[in-house]
Amino acid sequence: MKRRPRRAVAAALTALVVAAVSAVVAVVAIQLILGERPWIDHTSVAGLRWSDLPVAVAGGAFVLLGLVLALAAVLPGRLVVLPIRADSGITRHSYRSTLRRAAADVDGVSRAKLTLRRRRVSAKVRTERTNTTGLADAVRSALEHRLGQLDPSIGPRISVKVVRRAK
C-alpha cells in the first residue's frame, strides 16, 4: 500500500487564480455592457504588441507558472502511507511518533526529535547526563528493535545524534 499525497494545494491555487481572473473579466464585460467606466481599460491592453515588455513579462510569468504546475502534477510526492509487512501500511505521522517514543523511552533521554527521509531515520536526542558514552548505541538499538516490530518493506539507515543539555 503506497498512498501518495493529493495535489490539493496546487489545484486550489489554480482554481482560485482562474476564478479571480474570470470574475474580473466578467465584471469588466458587464460594466462595458451597461455603459459604465470599466475597472480595466481594454483599449490600453488592446494597444499592446507582442514585442512590448509587459507582454513578454506576463508571458514569461505564465510559462513559469505552467511549468511549476506541470511539475507538481508529474513528480511524485512523499508517501503518506508507508508500506510495512506484506500488505499493510502505516501513516508517516504514526511511523515517526512510534519511533520517537521508542527513542524517548531509553534511559537517560530527556527529549527526542526524529526526522524521516526516504531511506533514513535521523534521531536527535537530548540528555542531562554528563557522560553520554553508549547512549547513541542504546537509542539506535531501541530504534532497530521497534523497526523490527514494524517490519518496514525498506529498512532505513539510522543515525543518532546526542546533545547534552548544559546546566
Side-chain angles (χ1 to χ4, degrees), residues 39-116:
W39 286 348
I40 300 172
D41 186 18
H42 70 283
T43 57
S44 65
V45 176
L48 292 176
R49 289 188 295 255
W50 286 107
S51 60
D52 290 342
L53 182 62
V55 174
V57 169
F62 283 122
V63 166
L64 183 64
L65 178 65
L67 286 175
V68 167
L69 291 174
L71 284 174
V74 172
L75 294 177
R78 292 189 325 184
L79 292 174
V80 175
V81 176
L82 303 171
I84 59 172
R85 297 203 178 105
D87 55 348
S88 63
I90 186 171
T91 63
R92 180 175 288 279
H93 176 73
S94 296
Y95 191 70
R96 186 182 314 121
S97 66
T98 190
L99 291 175
R100 186 180 322 132
R101 221 177 357 243
D105 287 345
V106 173
D107 187 37
V109 173
S110 59
R111 196 166 118 198
K113 181 179 178 184
L114 214 86
T115 55
L116 298 177

